[in-house]
Amino acid sequence: MGVLRLQLPTDPRWVNIVEKNIEEILTDHAWCEQKAATNAITIITNNSEHQDLVQDLLALAKEEIDHFEQVHNIIIKRGLKLGRERKDDYVNELYQYMKKSGDGSRVSGLVERLLFSAMIEARSCERFKVLSENIQDEELAVFYRELMESEAGHYTTFITYARKYGVGIDVEKRWREWLAYEESIITNYGKGETIHG
């Protein structure tokens, strides 16, 4: 699927489910942005010796928090409420796959974390595209188009650093494995009013 190389596109009918509960999708989306910022900071914390990585992921973390604020502002403007943090089964499945992978070395650990992050950004980007093209709500259609471009940039950042610091690792082969795994689990999603649901 284009530059993201996702193996299975989201059925546009997922948007019909989303539209029945805008408060839920906005709450879930807000927490996705918060978790993305936290993930970037975790990578910085564990790999602080890579100055370029630190700088780029600091910028990325700030952008994710800015997105959190933007979603929260839409929630307030519409008289809705930001609900409690949601469990993300899709991300948890990817996380388990990451944990069981690699050889335990720092390099392998970094590459796995970067590919895990790239995978989430790729699917989020694809979901935002589907939302922007199919949702009846004009404000949200524009909002998700803008965010889609941002997520594509984040995906590129993570993939680029995996290639740069994955010395001795066949990153391309590993990314193909991640894509195949993601295809095997995404078939269970696209049925709920959450970003990855």
Side-chain angles (χ1 to χ4, degrees):
M1 266 175 44
V3 70
L4 299 173
R5 290 165 58 190
L6 294 171
Q7 308 297 298
L8 196 68
T10 296
D11 186 329
R13 287 175 297 185
W14 164 69
V15 179
N16 302 336
I17 299 166
V18 166
E19 287 177 319
K20 291 187 178 85
N21 197 343
I22 294 294
E23 186 169 42
E24 180 62 27
I25 189 81
L26 290 174
T27 284
D28 180 71
H29 178 193
W31 290 115
C32 284
E33 299 292 356
Q34 178 270 324
K35 288 173 205 162
T38 302
N39 178 59
I41 290 163
T42 299
I43 296 171
I44 289 168
T45 304
N46 295 333
N47 303 279
S48 55
E49 69 275 19
H50 301 307
Q51 191 178 58
D52 53 352
L53 177 81
V54 170
Q55 286 184 301
D56 283 348
L57 290 196
L58 273 172
L60 188 148
K62 285 180 189 169
E63 206 170 290
E64 300 288 22
I65 284 295
D66 182 52
H67 292 166
F68 180 93
E69 184 179 21
Q70 286 178 47
V71 181
H72 192 231
N73 287 341
I74 291 171
I75 289 170
I76 293 167
K77 190 170 111 182
R78 292 178 177 224
L80 304 172
K81 283 215 164 48
L82 174 66
R84 302 292 297 171
E85 185 187 344
R86 303 296 192 253
K87 193 168 152 236
D88 193 326
D89 292 327
Y90 167 80
V91 170
N92 287 337
E93 282 199 65
L94 293 179
Y95 185 76
Q96 289 306 319
Y97 181 66
M98 174 186 68
K99 276 190 77 172
K100 293 171 188 152
S101 306
D103 60 12
S105 71
R106 286 200 72 222
V107 171
S108 172
L110 173 58
V111 168
E112 285 300 307
R113 188 77 186 213
L114 291 168
L115 294 181
F116 161 77
S117 306
M119 193 78 260
I120 298 166
E121 295 288 353
R123 183 55 71 183
S124 299
C125 178
E126 190 260 356
R127 286 283 166 98
F128 291 167
K129 183 174 192 290
V130 172
L131 277 169
S132 73
E133 290 172 352
N134 295 282
I135 201 162
Q136 299 300 309
D137 188 310
E138 222 165 283
E139 180 191 26
L140 291 181
V142 171
F143 179 61
Y144 280 112
R145 172 148 294 282
E146 288 168 1
L147 256 58
M148 175 192 87
E149 290 160 13
S150 174
E151 300 294 306
H154 295 171
Y155 156 80
T156 303
T157 298
F158 288 124
I159 284 281
T160 301
Y161 278 112
R163 288 176 182 141
K164 179 171 184 178
Y165 289 117
V167 180
I169 294 170
D170 188 342
V171 175
E172 292 311 310
K173 177 174 178 284
R174 188 66 193 123
W175 181 236
R176 285 194 298 275
E177 291 167 3
W178 267 97
L179 288 164
Y181 177 74
E182 200 266 355
E183 181 186 13
S184 76
I185 66 165
I186 199 65
T187 53
N188 303 318
Y189 297 94
K191 303 172 183 84
E193 60 278 331
T194 57
I195 295 297
H196 303 122

